[in-house]
Amino acid sequence: MDKVMLVTGGSRGIGAATCLMAAKYGYKVAVNFRSNREAAEAVVTAIEKDGGRAIAVRADVSSEDEVMRLFASVDEHLGPVTALVNNAGIVDQPSKVVDMSAERIGRMMTVNVVGPFLCAREAIKRMGTEHGGQGGVIVNVSSGASNAAGNGGANTYVDYGASKGAIDTFTEGLAREVASEQIRVNAVRPGIIDTEIHASGGQPDKPEKAKSKIPLGRIGQPEDIAEAIMYLTEARFTTGAFLDVDGGV
Ligand code: NAP
């Protein structure tokens, strides 16, 4: 059976690095993106240049209709997914909770939480042995910001931290729920990684500022997280596991 990986938000950052690494592991790769088609196509071209197979598929993971179309497109062009990486995620401008609009909080939860639920639901229908599948794996991209014992994103994005806390609980629960269907569910919790997400949240210098507090003495790169995602994808007796990849913070 072909190994088919769908990476949500595969066009840039951690998702793009994961797509490229997955192709080297022999996966056919679906590179999902929301708006940056050029970036997604560049990932596809790089995979094809190396002899791999990939497609770019536009879909906003927060839209149920678009998620349905995303999975249908992967079915048609690559075959049913055997690995899902719930990677697409957003941050927002630094803000205290007292100043947050319902629209902002809703968007954060819809993209970062509802999206992964919808994608997992569609993946289970294809992977689950009770649904005629042969098993598979889901890797959720959480964040060190999910740690309620840490600062929870205080003063900047408690909404984001809470959305990732939900992803941790989702991972725990879903792993138990679908284990008998031979679907493994794991999560990676990145520390501060050098991607464009920080600029999109109005903090472009966040990685550089954090560098001195990282025990390994450098800022994390997308490939550092891709490596952990591929480990959790391939580790066949590992489910309900969390991997903190943060340079030792
Ligand atoms: P990034 O560089 O900003 O890339 C985000 C990716 O997600 C892009 O491919 C973007 O697509 C896609 N995306 C955004 N909203 C989407 C939506 N509604 N539907 C589909 N795709 C969507 O982000 P990143 O830093 O790689 O982050 C990836 C994941 O890691 C996120 O879940 C983030 O919370 C988590 N994380 C990141 C860090 C870090 O320091 N970077 C730390 C901890 C956790 P377009 O290209 O089309 O815009």
Side-chain angles (χ1 to χ4, degrees):
M1 187 176 167
D2 282 344
K3 299 202 291 185
V4 177
M5 179 181 279
L6 165 60
V7 182
T8 66
S11 49
R12 294 183 292 114
I14 292 167
T18 303
C19 289
L20 296 170
M21 206 173 282
K24 292 194 195 306
Y25 275 72
Y27 285 84
K28 294 181 179 176
V29 184
V31 182
N32 159 248
F33 66 101
R34 179 190 48 184
S35 52
N36 196 333
R37 178 174 293 278
E38 206 180 320
E41 295 289 0
V43 174
V44 169
T45 302
I47 289 172
E48 287 175 344
K49 230 176 166 178
D50 259 12
R53 172 97 174 90
I55 56 167
V57 191
R58 204 210 77 76
D60 182 337
V61 295
S62 65
S63 157
E64 185 171 22
D65 285 352
E66 293 188 23
V67 167
M68 300 296 282
R69 280 202 292 274
L70 167 63
F71 276 81
S73 179
V74 179
D75 287 343
E76 185 186 341
H77 297 287
L78 300 181
V81 288
T82 61
L84 164 68
V85 181
N86 269 323
N87 165 75
I90 55 167
V91 294
D92 209 324
Q93 303 300 304
S95 172
K96 293 192 179 195
V97 172
V98 72
D99 295 320
M100 285 179 191
S101 65
E103 191 274 327
R104 167 182 168 140
I105 301 164
R107 185 175 60 241
M108 190 69 68
M109 297 302 162
T110 315
V111 175
N112 290 4
V113 183
V114 178
F117 266 79
L118 294 174
C119 290
R121 184 189 75 190
E122 292 311 304
I124 292 162
K125 290 178 191 166
R126 286 149 176 92
M127 296 173 182
T129 51
E130 285 171 24
H131 296 85
Q134 295 183 26
V137 59
I138 297 170
V139 180
N140 294 323
V141 181
S142 176
S143 168
S146 72
N147 184 0
N151 85 347
N155 300 311
T156 50
Y157 46 47
V158 172
D159 52 348
Y160 174 78
S163 75
K164 294 301 187 178
I167 287 299
D168 287 1
T169 307
F170 172 52
T171 302
E172 287 279 5
L174 188 63
R176 285 169 175 78
E177 193 167 297
V178 297
S180 64
E181 290 209 61
Q182 300 308 311
I183 302 173
R184 295 180 295 104
V185 185
N186 295 306
V188 61
R189 282 190 290 233
I192 294 177
I193 308 303
D194 190 13
T195 72
E196 293 165 350
I197 202 169
H198 308 290
S200 74
Q203 302 185 78
D205 53 352
K206 190 172 176 173
E208 201 48 50
K209 276 187 177 162
K211 195 173 164 184
S212 63
K213 296 190 192 108
I214 300 172
L216 281 179
R218 69 172 175 86
I219 301 162
Q221 295 302 312
E223 293 72 23
D224 296 323
I225 306 305
E227 196 171 58
I229 290 171
M230 292 315 301
Y231 170 74
L232 291 171
T233 299
E234 295 282 298
R236 57 191 183 181
F237 201 51
T238 301
T239 193
F242 292 82
L243 201 44
D244 292 300
V245 186
D246 56 11
V249 176

